[in-house]
Amino acid sequence: MKKWFARAFACIVLVLVAGTAAHAQLTFTPRVSVTEEYNDNINLDRRNKMDDWITTVSPGATLEWYGQTAGFRLDYDPAYSFYADHDEYDSWSHNARGTVWYNFSRATRLEVSNYFIYTKQPLSDDTFDSGENLVIQGNNRSRGQEKYYTNQASARLSHQFGPENTVYAQMAGGFTNYDDPGDATTDGTTNEDGQWFTPSVGLTYWFSTQNGIESDFSYTRGLYEEGRSDFNNYDGRLRFNHRLTQQTGVYGQYRQIYRAWDDPSDTTVNGTEEQDYLVYAPSVGVFHQFDPTMTGSIGVGYFYQQVKDGNDQKGPFISSELNKLWDFQRWSIRLRTASGIDSQDFSGDQQGLERFALVDVVTRYDFTRDFFGDLILGARYSDYLDSEDDEKDYRYTAEVGLGYNITRWATIRVAYAFNKLDAVNSTEDYEQNRVFATLTLSPSQPWRIFD
């Protein structure tokens, strides 16, 4: 099953770009980076901290093909890490991304994407697509140096049938595998191999310039190798929008989730029995359209989780969604916020239904043409609704760096990074400090292979 993703993606690349080869441009961008890092808590352990000096060498490249109606982009960045004092942790990691698009017409587009991570680092980085949208969320609770790999793929067909009216159909799927899925984490839970498939459809339709609706529905089939029960998940949403001005308006939304387990008697990763549940989640809020392709929203809602043969859950939540880049002459800032009701089912964070909120800010300021500074701040709140011990996580990240372009193809950056997890009613909390310097070699412009 896992080989199917790679084979299907390769076939789609060949089929979609073959017809536009005569009018396409192929470019190649090589790169290599070397990082020297001091890490005061390599295993993210709250008590028995181990520090080390880590040298990481990462060659990589980007291959891009742009035609009149089709194109693709492939990124691959392997890396090898050397530990000065704990050489048993020396290892490879792999990060690969691929996107293929094909425009059947100006209004109809097919986009196929695949994202792959292989690592043994306890805190894997989040993975974003080319539009800086979160695709794979980093594992907040993994500990030690357990190797695992995860893959996510999707194929989305979208059609625009009016200035603001769109419809789409998508098929997505993925899997997460651990080298030793039975290994226990620090809180006694175990990592589970799993895979999922999610077909979905959606519609955005404006009846007039002031009033419109958004609706989508998805079905997820979740499969586990052992330990947990497989499940079916149904998730639907309907939202009514009303514009107060040309860019700003208000909305009312209703969302409903139904989770059905094949065998509810199977135990979960936290040792409790799974139960079928139904979630009702109405919300209201405001939205603002920054540009034709970017709309942000924020609102408040109330959820009620009706659990079969279990304790019901209810409470308020904040609903928000924004991913916006402001780019000025000398500085830029990207703000990303998201909050609402979600479910963590296929990572080390297998905690089930959660109420969450996150905010990330990335800024950069160019002091001169070659000298720059950057700052990254992030915070995430997770309330695990299915936890018997009422577990909650508060995660904080901060990174500040200074960089200098030595030449047009060489850049050096020094930085300090801080990670902290406050785990309420759990023993998973930690603090980590990192200081590192990275030298990156890459051409300032992609190499054109042919036009």
Side-chain angles (χ1 to χ4, degrees), residues 12-29:
I12 292 173
V13 171
L14 294 175
V15 171
L16 294 185
V17 304
T20 60
H23 307 284
Q25 174 179 286
L26 183 65
T27 64
F28 179 73
T29 307

Side-chain angles (χ1 to χ4, degrees), residues 371-388:
F371 180 52
F372 64 90
D374 51 38
L375 175 66
I376 303 172
L377 299 174
R380 180 184 175 95
Y381 163 76
S382 296
D383 179 8
Y384 301 109
L385 303 175
D386 295 335
S387 169
E388 285 191 337

Side-chain angles (χ1 to χ4, degrees), residues 117 121 303 368 385:
I117 294 176
Q121 298 298 323
F303 79 92
T368 67
L385 303 175

